[in-house]
Amino acid sequence: MGPSINRRTLLAAAGATVAAGHAGVGHARGLPALPSENAAADTAYWDAVRRLYRVNPDMVNLENGYWGIMPEPVLQDYLGHTEMVNYNNTVWARGGGAGEAFGAARAALAEALGADVDEVVFTRGATEALQKLIGGYNRLRPGDAVLYADPDPAPVLQPGHRRLHRAVVQIGVQHRTARPEPVVAADQLLQRFG
Protein backbone atom coordinates (compact mmCIF):
# COMPACT_ATOMS: atom_id res chain seq x y z
CA MET A 1 0.00 0.00 0.00
CA GLY A 2 1.23 3.54 -0.78
CA PRO A 3 1.89 6.32 1.69
CA SER A 4 -0.91 7.73 3.80
CA ILE A 5 -2.98 10.25 1.86
CA ASN A 6 -4.65 13.21 3.54
CA ARG A 7 -6.10 16.48 2.26
CA ARG A 8 -2.69 18.17 2.23
CA THR A 9 -0.99 15.48 0.16
CA LEU A 10 -3.99 15.24 -2.16
CA LEU A 11 -4.01 19.01 -2.78
CA ALA A 12 -0.23 19.08 -3.19
CA ALA A 13 -0.42 16.28 -5.76
CA ALA A 14 -3.28 17.99 -7.57
CA GLY A 15 -1.30 21.23 -7.61
CA ALA A 16 1.78 19.44 -8.93
CA THR A 17 -0.32 17.77 -11.63
CA VAL A 18 -1.82 21.10 -12.69
CA ALA A 19 1.61 22.75 -12.61
CA ALA A 20 3.03 19.95 -14.75
CA GLY A 21 0.18 20.39 -17.21
CA HIS A 22 0.79 24.13 -17.32
CA ALA A 23 4.52 23.66 -17.74
CA GLY A 24 4.14 21.06 -20.48
CA VAL A 25 1.47 20.38 -23.04
CA GLY A 26 -1.19 22.46 -21.27
CA HIS A 27 0.84 25.66 -21.30
CA ALA A 28 1.56 25.24 -24.98
CA ARG A 29 -2.21 24.97 -25.56
CA GLY A 30 -2.87 28.46 -24.17
CA LEU A 31 -3.36 27.77 -20.49
CA PRO A 32 -2.07 30.67 -18.38
CA ALA A 33 1.13 30.17 -16.42
CA LEU A 34 0.52 29.75 -12.71
CA PRO A 35 1.39 32.91 -10.75
CA SER A 36 4.43 32.48 -8.55
CA GLU A 37 2.89 34.42 -5.65
CA ASN A 38 -0.50 35.61 -4.46
CA ALA A 39 -2.59 33.85 -7.10
CA ALA A 40 -5.85 34.98 -5.47
CA ALA A 41 -5.08 38.64 -6.21
CA ASP A 42 -3.62 38.14 -9.69
CA THR A 43 -6.47 39.49 -11.84
CA ALA A 44 -4.53 38.99 -15.09
CA TYR A 45 -4.21 35.29 -14.29
CA TRP A 46 -7.93 34.91 -13.50
CA ASP A 47 -8.89 36.87 -16.62
CA ALA A 48 -6.81 34.41 -18.66
CA VAL A 49 -8.49 31.47 -16.91
CA ARG A 50 -11.93 33.01 -17.58
CA ARG A 51 -11.13 33.25 -21.30
CA LEU A 52 -10.62 29.47 -21.40
CA TYR A 53 -14.36 28.97 -20.91
CA ARG A 54 -16.83 29.59 -23.70
CA VAL A 55 -20.18 29.86 -21.92
CA ASN A 56 -23.53 31.54 -22.41
CA PRO A 57 -23.00 35.21 -21.42
CA ASP A 58 -26.72 35.67 -20.61
CA MET A 59 -26.34 34.01 -17.21
CA VAL A 60 -23.83 33.47 -14.42
CA ASN A 61 -23.71 29.82 -13.39
CA LEU A 62 -22.53 29.53 -9.79
CA GLU A 63 -23.53 25.88 -9.45
CA ASN A 64 -20.81 23.39 -10.32
CA GLY A 65 -22.14 20.42 -8.33
CA TYR A 66 -24.57 19.20 -10.96
CA TRP A 67 -22.93 20.21 -14.20
CA GLY A 68 -19.28 21.19 -14.58
CA ILE A 69 -17.99 23.20 -17.52
CA MET A 70 -14.84 22.18 -19.42
CA PRO A 71 -12.26 24.78 -20.37
CA GLU A 72 -11.77 24.96 -24.15
CA PRO A 73 -8.43 23.04 -24.26
CA VAL A 74 -9.99 20.20 -22.24
CA LEU A 75 -13.12 20.26 -24.41
CA GLN A 76 -11.01 20.07 -27.59
CA ASP A 77 -9.05 17.09 -26.20
CA TYR A 78 -12.31 15.44 -25.13
CA LEU A 79 -13.83 15.92 -28.60
CA GLY A 80 -10.65 14.61 -30.24
CA HIS A 81 -10.68 11.48 -28.08
CA THR A 82 -14.40 11.02 -28.74
CA GLU A 83 -13.77 11.24 -32.50
CA MET A 84 -10.95 8.70 -32.24
CA VAL A 85 -13.11 6.28 -30.23
CA ASN A 86 -16.02 6.77 -32.64
CA TYR A 87 -13.74 6.14 -35.64
CA ASN A 88 -11.92 3.09 -34.22
CA ASN A 89 -14.86 1.89 -32.09
CA THR A 90 -14.73 -1.83 -31.31
CA VAL A 91 -11.14 -2.22 -32.55
CA TRP A 92 -9.99 0.31 -29.95
CA ALA A 93 -12.36 -0.88 -27.21
CA ARG A 94 -11.78 -4.64 -27.62
CA GLY A 95 -8.33 -4.58 -29.13
CA GLY A 96 -6.62 -3.33 -25.99
CA GLY A 97 -6.42 0.38 -26.69
CA ALA A 98 -9.09 1.29 -24.14
CA GLY A 99 -7.55 -0.86 -21.43
CA GLU A 100 -4.09 0.55 -22.09
CA ALA A 101 -5.40 4.14 -22.01
CA PHE A 102 -7.25 3.62 -18.71
CA GLY A 103 -4.27 1.79 -17.22
CA ALA A 104 -1.88 4.59 -18.19
CA ALA A 105 -4.22 7.23 -16.78
CA ARG A 106 -4.61 5.33 -13.48
CA ALA A 107 -0.85 4.87 -13.21
CA ALA A 108 -0.18 8.57 -13.86
CA LEU A 109 -2.75 9.66 -11.28
CA ALA A 110 -1.52 7.14 -8.71
CA GLU A 111 2.03 8.41 -9.15
CA ALA A 112 0.92 12.04 -8.77
CA LEU A 113 -0.97 11.14 -5.58
CA GLY A 114 1.76 8.92 -4.17
CA ALA A 115 -0.72 6.01 -4.11
CA ASP A 116 -0.76 2.47 -5.43
CA VAL A 117 -2.55 1.97 -8.74
CA ASP A 118 -5.10 -0.34 -7.07
CA GLU A 119 -6.15 2.57 -4.84
CA VAL A 120 -7.27 4.67 -7.85
CA VAL A 121 -10.76 4.24 -9.30
CA PHE A 122 -12.26 6.37 -12.04
CA THR A 123 -15.96 7.22 -11.83
CA ARG A 124 -18.29 9.34 -13.92
CA GLY A 125 -18.69 11.92 -11.17
CA ALA A 126 -18.86 12.71 -7.47
CA THR A 127 -22.25 11.03 -6.94
CA GLU A 128 -21.05 7.72 -8.36
CA ALA A 129 -17.79 7.97 -6.40
CA LEU A 130 -19.63 8.51 -3.11
CA GLN A 131 -22.07 5.69 -3.93
CA LYS A 132 -19.13 3.33 -4.42
CA LEU A 133 -17.46 4.44 -1.19
CA ILE A 134 -20.63 4.15 0.88
CA GLY A 135 -21.73 0.90 -0.75
CA GLY A 136 -18.31 -0.66 -0.26
CA TYR A 137 -17.93 0.30 3.38
CA ASN A 138 -17.49 -2.94 5.30
CA ARG A 139 -16.84 -1.97 8.91
CA LEU A 140 -20.43 -1.76 10.10
CA ARG A 141 -21.50 -4.43 12.52
CA PRO A 142 -24.96 -5.69 13.51
CA GLY A 143 -26.76 -2.97 15.45
CA ASP A 144 -24.78 -0.09 13.86
CA ALA A 145 -26.67 2.72 12.16
CA VAL A 146 -25.88 5.05 9.27
CA LEU A 147 -26.14 8.71 10.31
CA TYR A 148 -26.53 11.50 7.78
CA ALA A 149 -27.87 15.05 7.50
CA ASP A 150 -30.88 16.01 5.43
CA PRO A 151 -28.89 18.27 3.05
CA ASP A 152 -26.91 15.21 1.92
CA PRO A 153 -28.06 14.30 -1.60
CA ALA A 154 -30.43 11.31 -1.62
CA PRO A 155 -28.97 9.76 -4.83
CA VAL A 156 -25.64 9.43 -3.03
CA LEU A 157 -27.06 7.82 0.10
CA GLN A 158 -29.89 5.56 -1.09
CA PRO A 159 -27.75 2.88 -2.81
CA GLY A 160 -25.61 2.68 0.31
CA HIS A 161 -28.68 2.21 2.48
CA ARG A 162 -29.93 -0.66 0.38
CA ARG A 163 -26.56 -2.37 0.29
CA LEU A 164 -25.72 -1.88 3.96
CA HIS A 165 -29.14 -3.06 5.20
CA ARG A 166 -28.68 -0.99 8.33
CA ALA A 167 -30.79 1.43 10.30
CA VAL A 168 -30.65 4.88 8.77
CA VAL A 169 -30.90 7.98 10.97
CA GLN A 170 -31.47 11.34 9.35
CA ILE A 171 -30.48 14.49 11.25
CA GLY A 172 -32.54 17.58 10.36
CA VAL A 173 -30.27 20.60 9.91
CA GLN A 174 -32.34 22.71 7.56
CA HIS A 175 -35.87 24.08 7.46
CA ARG A 176 -38.08 22.91 4.62
CA THR A 177 -39.43 26.09 3.08
CA ALA A 178 -39.98 27.52 -0.37
CA ARG A 179 -37.07 29.87 0.24
CA PRO A 180 -33.41 28.89 -0.26
CA GLU A 181 -31.89 26.75 2.48
CA PRO A 182 -30.76 28.87 5.44
CA VAL A 183 -27.12 29.00 6.34
CA VAL A 184 -26.43 27.05 9.51
CA ALA A 185 -23.53 28.18 11.67
CA ALA A 186 -20.88 25.53 12.37
CA ASP A 187 -21.61 25.42 16.11
CA GLN A 188 -25.35 24.99 15.44
CA LEU A 189 -24.62 22.17 13.02
CA LEU A 190 -22.40 20.39 15.54
CA GLN A 191 -25.07 20.78 18.25
CA ARG A 192 -27.64 19.06 16.03
CA PHE A 193 -25.32 16.11 15.51
CA GLY A 194 -24.49 16.00 19.26
Side-chain angles (χ1 to χ4, degrees):
M1 187 157 106
S4 172
I5 295 180
N6 58 35
R7 276 188 288 191
R8 264 182 223 274
T9 56
L10 180 63
L11 290 173
T17 304
V18 170
H22 282 288
V25 175
H27 186 63
R29 300 223 23 199
L31 296 175
L34 290 169
S36 57
E37 294 179 15
N38 201 9
D42 189 335
T43 56
Y45 171 74
W46 292 110
D47 285 342
V49 169
R50 188 177 299 111
R51 286 190 298 274
L52 293 174
Y53 294 85
R54 190 172 61 87
V55 297
N56 182 347
D58 297 335
M59 64 169 282
V60 176
N61 181 14
L62 299 177
E63 192 250 329
N64 194 38
Y66 175 70
W67 192 269
I69 302 167
M70 295 180 205
E72 282 297 307
V74 173
L75 177 60
Q76 295 310 312
D77 281 351
Y78 173 80
L79 293 173
H81 286 290
T82 301
E83 269 188 17
M84 181 277 298
V85 171
N86 191 59
Y87 180 78
N88 292 304
N89 58 68
T90 193
V91 174
W92 181 77
R94 296 178 190 269
E100 290 172 14
F102 281 110
R106 281 183 73 200
L109 183 57
E111 183 179 345
L113 293 173
D116 289 336
V117 173
D118 63 354
E119 295 176 293
V120 175
V121 176
F122 290 128
T123 64
R124 292 169 287 187
T127 299
E128 182 181 5
L130 287 170
Q131 287 173 343
K132 288 187 179 301
L133 285 171
I134 292 168
Y137 188 74
N138 62 5
R139 294 188 182 179
L140 291 174
R141 301 289 175 244
D144 289 348
V146 177
L147 177 70
Y148 73 98
D150 55 4
D152 293 333
V156 169
L157 299 166
Q158 287 167 349
H161 296 169
R162 286 193 295 272
R163 183 156 191 281
L164 296 172
H165 303 292
R166 297 287 189 251
V168 176
V169 180
Q170 182 181 31
I171 304 293
V173 297
Q174 66 184 8
H175 302 287
R176 300 283 182 201
T177 66
R179 295 174 295 167
E181 297 172 7
V183 175
V184 177
D187 59 339
Q188 292 174 321
L189 184 61
L190 291 174
Q191 273 184 328
R192 292 182 186 184
F193 274 94

